[in-house]
Amino acid sequence: GGIYYHSASGYAAISGSATVEGNSAYNGGGLYLQGGTCFMDDSSAVKDNRAIKGNGGGVYIDGNTTKFIVQKGTVTGNTADANGGGIMVKNPGAQARVDTGAIEGNVADRGGGVYANGSLWLRENITITKNSVGKGGLGGGVFLDSGGQFSIGEATIKITDNTASGTANNVYLSQASSVEQVSKVITLSHKIKSGSAIGVTTQLKPDTSEVIFTKNYFTTQWGEPDLIFTSDDPAYGVQRSADRKEAVLVKTVKHTATGYSGVYDGEEHD
């Protein structure tokens, strides 16, 4: 591809408005990172690269200690024939951290913007938008696999207008394990700033009981979860969990006689 970086503990930087553009490889069309830490800053960009039949159209993060840190930059217009159109975080010990930037207009089979089987950390001012996956794909914006961790700091986050086969599919949270009926979650370390908007889809469907999709919501946030989060699927809605601690997806119900619709709270109403 464009750049291959391999280091046990070193540092590399893409800066000075540098652009990694128009490259291709099996994995990591623009950047293939294995070990060490790679920084992007000064409005640098990874754009219009392709992973041919592979993963990480823009950036492929390999290894168990590799870090990719976007202090200020964009990952746009990249394509992966498999996973992670913009960024692929392959292993649970690897990390992609975005401080300020945009991940936009990337395409993949799963995880149009980001495919994370490791750590994804959004910190300050981030937009993940207009990424997409094709027919049968999931996670137009972000696909969080069973080995992944998704954390949000004190930030303004917009993960909207991402699609799967043309329908809303922004953040896809897989099942935490094949044994436990528990969803992967979005961990909140600080209060999310006003103006944030995040669409959510969970692999587990809340048809009979709520599905928790956050960690630390009511220890960090002041308002109701539907002020920040929305369900990508209109059959479900967002509300507080039964124990009042987290945000959950629940099935929406409609009373056809009155035209009332709302989220199911486990009780019948006249």
Side-chain angles (χ1 to χ4, degrees):
I3 297 173
Y4 173 74
Y5 179 70
H6 180 221
S7 173
S9 58
Y11 295 86
I14 301 170
S15 59
S17 300
T19 300
V20 181
E21 180 178 7
N23 305 284
S24 63
Y26 179 75
N27 289 324
L31 300 172
Y32 189 118
L33 309 176
Q34 190 171 41
T37 301
C38 179
F39 293 92
M40 279 183 66
D41 57 19
D42 295 337
S43 301
S44 52
V46 176
K47 60 182 291 187
D48 300 335
N49 302 284
R50 183 181 177 188
I52 301 174
K53 298 183 179 181
N55 308 290
V59 183
Y60 185 81
I61 306 170
D62 199 1
N64 287 314
T65 61
T66 311
K67 294 182 179 181
F68 176 60
I69 299 174
V70 182
Q71 295 176 318
K72 186 177 182 181
T74 59
V75 179
T76 61
N78 303 284
T79 301
D81 293 345
N83 303 320
I87 299 172
M88 168 76 172
V89 189
K90 181 186 177 184
N91 299 313
Q95 181 188 94
R97 189 187 97 191
V98 184
D99 296 346
T100 299
I103 300 171
E104 182 173 352
N106 303 285
V107 180
D109 183 58
R110 293 192 299 177
V114 181
Y115 184 102
N117 194 45
S119 173
L120 174 62
W121 185 13
L122 306 182
R123 291 188 60 194
E124 294 180 18
N125 189 352
I126 300 99
T127 300
I128 301 176
T129 189
K130 297 180 181 177
N131 304 283
S132 63
V133 293
K135 185 177 180 180
L138 295 164
V142 175
F143 186 105
L144 189 66
D145 207 346
S146 58
Q149 303 293 327
F150 185 9
S151 302
I152 296 177
E154 188 176 1
T156 301
I157 307 292
K158 291 186 178 180
I159 308 178
T160 59
D161 298 321
N162 302 284
T163 59
S165 301
T167 61
N169 201 269
N170 288 288
V171 177
Y172 179 83
L173 302 172
S174 65
Q175 189 171 337
S177 74
S178 59
V179 177
E180 298 177 279
Q181 292 294 302
V182 179
S183 176
K184 297 298 293 185
V185 297
I186 301 171
T187 301
L188 310 175
S189 59
H190 296 82
K191 184 180 184 296
I192 299 176
K193 294 181 179 178
S194 62
S196 295
I198 302 171
V200 176
T201 297
T202 55
Q203 180 180 358
L204 296 174
K205 301 305 179 187
D207 292 318
T208 57
S209 62
E210 65 185 26
V211 173
I212 295 172
F213 67 86
T214 63
K215 181 179 179 182
N216 301 333
Y217 186 88
F218 283 101
T219 61
T220 58
Q221 309 305 307
W222 299 339
E224 293 299 315
D226 60 359
L227 296 175
I228 298 171
F229 297 102
T230 58
S231 172
D232 291 327
D233 188 337
Y236 309 112
V238 174
Q239 68 176 34
R240 292 191 187 209
S241 59
D243 63 9
R244 316 295 284 176
K245 293 181 179 180
E246 299 296 347
V248 298
L249 288 182
V250 294
K251 189 174 183 179
T252 57
V253 294
K254 184 174 183 180
H255 297 269
T256 56
T258 62
Y260 167 80
S261 63
V263 294
Y264 176 68
D265 58 9
E267 298 180 3
E268 294 293 330
H269 299 274
D270 296 328

